[in-house]
Amino acid sequence: MREGATVTGLIKNITDYGAFVDLGGMDGLLHITDMSWGRVKHPSELLNVGDEIQVMVLKYDQEKERVSLGLKQLQQDPWQAVKEKYTPGTKVKGKVVSLADYGAFVELNDGIEGLIHVSEMSWTNELNIRLNV
């Protein structure tokens, strides 16, 4: 077991905060934040108990016998190609994934979100938006 290695394991249990992966005698935790570059509301959106998956060993503490695992780390970080894909002034389509008093967060691709500030939503000061997200 070494950090940076790719290993295969079976999903043993799913919780609200992640999934426990049986690595053949040792369990590792795949935290929800290390599952996808995009938003994940619950690990069961991506995984099922009994699934065989490949993961990267992010951290291995031999003394405590703890293994932290990552799934998204096996894929390219989507922000590495953002400059080539999204140039200023280009119109793009996205999905509103979250609203706040100061604006809306729009997902352009898995793991790529942008903020439309409330000051950029209207040419007038009278802005009443009601969206169901």
Side-chain angles (χ1 to χ4, degrees):
M1 191 68 52
R2 64 178 172 76
E3 294 178 10
T6 300
V7 295
T8 302
L10 288 173
I11 303 298
K12 187 175 179 179
N13 188 24
I14 295 176
T15 67
D16 289 341
Y17 57 87
F20 289 93
V21 182
D22 182 352
L23 302 171
M26 178 182 286
D27 288 351
L29 173 63
L30 174 58
H31 195 270
I32 192 169
T33 58
D34 290 311
M35 290 183 179
S36 172
W37 291 106
R39 289 180 184 245
V40 179
K41 291 181 182 176
H42 193 273
S44 61
E45 293 176 11
L46 301 176
L47 304 169
N48 296 301
V49 173
D51 286 353
E52 183 176 276
I53 61 167
Q54 283 196 323
V55 289
M56 179 182 285
V57 177
L58 302 179
K59 189 172 182 183
Y60 175 54
D61 186 335
Q62 191 171 2
E63 289 179 18
K64 294 181 181 178
E65 295 184 5
R66 290 188 181 168
V67 183
S68 297
L69 304 170
L71 185 58
K72 74 179 184 184
Q73 289 79 1
L74 296 176
Q75 303 166 359
Q76 181 181 354
D77 181 346
W79 283 96
Q80 290 179 340
V82 81
K83 284 185 179 179
E84 295 83 33
K85 192 166 185 175
Y86 303 106
T87 55
T90 305
K91 289 184 181 182
V92 294
K93 289 185 178 185
K95 176 184 172 186
V96 175
V97 292
S98 179
L99 293 174
D101 291 341
Y102 51 86
F105 289 92
V106 178
E107 181 182 55
L108 302 178
N109 249 343
D110 196 26
I112 302 292
E113 291 181 11
L115 170 67
I116 302 174
H117 192 269
V118 69
S119 65
E120 300 294 326
M121 292 183 178
S122 173
W123 289 98
T124 69
N125 289 333
E126 299 173 21
L127 182 62
N128 290 321
I129 295 180
R130 292 188 185 260
L131 296 174
N132 292 325
V133 177

